[in-house]
Amino acid sequence: MTTKTPSSLSEALAIFQSKVKAADKNGKAKFPQPRTYSLLEDVIKALQPATELGLSHTQTFDFVPLEGGNVLTVLITTIYFKDQKLESKLPLKDMDGNNVYHDLGIAITYSRRYALAAAYGIGSEHDDDAESITQPPKKEKGTRATPTKPKQKLAPVSEKAKTNPPITTEARNLIVDQLKELNSLHPEKARELADSFKKEFNVPKVIGHITEARHGEFLALAISKIDESL
């Protein structure tokens, strides 16, 4: 696969990403429009050449106790290279439906494939999701964390951010696009989802309040379920 032996984790990932751009897309979905996407099996298969570079990974779970006796489940994806490692964490939404273990299984599979693809820097979704973009959503106030001026200090990380990490701009944009498409094709479903989101997170509306990774996970899982029901 390569003509150069990497000496660091970042170099190994750079070589891998130059050779592997995206995973196969054997999954099919009807919403928000007919499209293909990568199954977890597709992503894992796409990552196999990484072993030739000395890269390996694990996906494990941790549990963070919260107030009121609740527990937050966190998916931990770790990439290893010699004595180096790169770790990312993704919280899973608390399941409270009638079939908790079934919903949890869906959430785990969904989260694992996105986390793996993101960690290795390869594509797993069809670009058709980007075709409906008309105007990027405005950035919510107070979400900027990267310094924009020389010697500008980073804002301190709040306790809330440590427990509920912020959603990435890319993930938020994708969710917003899917919500717009859902509202266009199935407005009743969109209203039901919006009501559910507002009730779950005690916010007045959806747009402008998708600021944390758990918000994106909640909406992505709900949209996936709507897709399966159509």
Side-chain angles (χ1 to χ4, degrees):
M1 175 181 174
T2 66
T3 57
K4 181 179 180 181
T5 301
S7 59
S8 66
L9 174 57
S10 59
E11 186 176 356
L13 282 174
I15 295 174
F16 172 79
Q17 291 165 6
S18 70
K19 302 296 182 180
V20 180
K21 304 298 183 183
D24 292 336
K25 297 178 176 64
N26 290 312
K28 297 181 180 180
K30 294 180 274 186
F31 176 81
Q33 55 192 357
R35 70 190 189 282
T36 58
Y37 63 92
S38 299
L39 300 170
L40 176 59
E41 293 83 354
D42 295 328
V43 174
I44 292 176
K45 181 180 178 181
L47 300 182
Q48 289 178 353
T51 59
E52 299 176 19
L53 297 167
L55 293 168
S56 62
H57 70 265
T58 59
Q59 287 190 298
T60 57
F61 296 93
D62 195 5
F63 303 94
V64 180
L66 304 176
E67 295 181 358
N70 295 323
V71 176
L72 176 68
T73 303
V74 180
L75 171 65
I76 304 174
T77 301
T78 308
I79 299 178
Y80 300 92
F81 179 82
K82 297 181 179 180
D83 59 347
Q84 302 174 33
K85 68 178 182 179
L86 174 66
E87 183 179 274
S88 65
K89 297 181 179 180
L90 177 66
L92 301 183
K93 176 185 174 296
D94 185 29
M95 301 297 166
D96 55 3
N98 295 326
N99 196 340
V100 174
Y101 289 105
H102 177 266
D103 292 346
L104 180 61
I106 294 176
I108 289 174
T109 300
Y110 186 93
S111 301
R112 283 189 63 197
R113 67 184 176 91
Y114 271 100
L116 273 178
Y120 279 89
I122 63 172
S124 63
E125 285 294 311
H126 199 290
D127 287 341
D128 283 350
D129 282 340
E131 291 180 1
S132 60
I133 294 178
T134 55
Q135 183 176 353
K138 295 181 179 179
K139 184 174 180 63
E140 291 84 1
K141 294 182 179 180
T143 58
R144 185 186 299 275
T146 304
T148 57
K149 300 178 181 178
K151 298 183 179 180
Q152 178 180 348
K153 294 183 179 180
L154 283 169
V157 179
S158 66
E159 291 301 318
K160 181 179 180 182
K162 292 179 182 178
T163 304
N164 299 317
I167 190 172
T168 65
T169 299
E170 180 182 10
R172 182 174 60 246
N173 289 352
L174 177 59
I175 290 295
V176 170
D177 291 338
Q178 291 180 337
L179 289 174
K180 289 179 179 179
E181 190 74 16
L182 176 62
N183 187 56
S184 175
L185 298 176
H186 306 283
E188 292 184 1
K189 295 287 187 181
R191 284 194 294 271
E192 291 176 2
L193 176 54
D195 290 340
S196 178
F197 181 88
K198 290 185 290 185
K199 181 178 179 181
E200 176 74 17
F201 300 106
N202 192 28
V203 294
K205 60 181 181 178
V206 178
I207 302 301
H209 290 82
I210 308 174
T211 58
E212 300 174 2
R214 59 180 182 143
H215 298 159
E217 175 67 23
F218 177 91
L219 292 170
L221 182 59
I223 291 173
S224 178
K225 288 183 178 180
I226 293 174
D227 182 17
E228 294 176 355
S229 68
L230 297 176

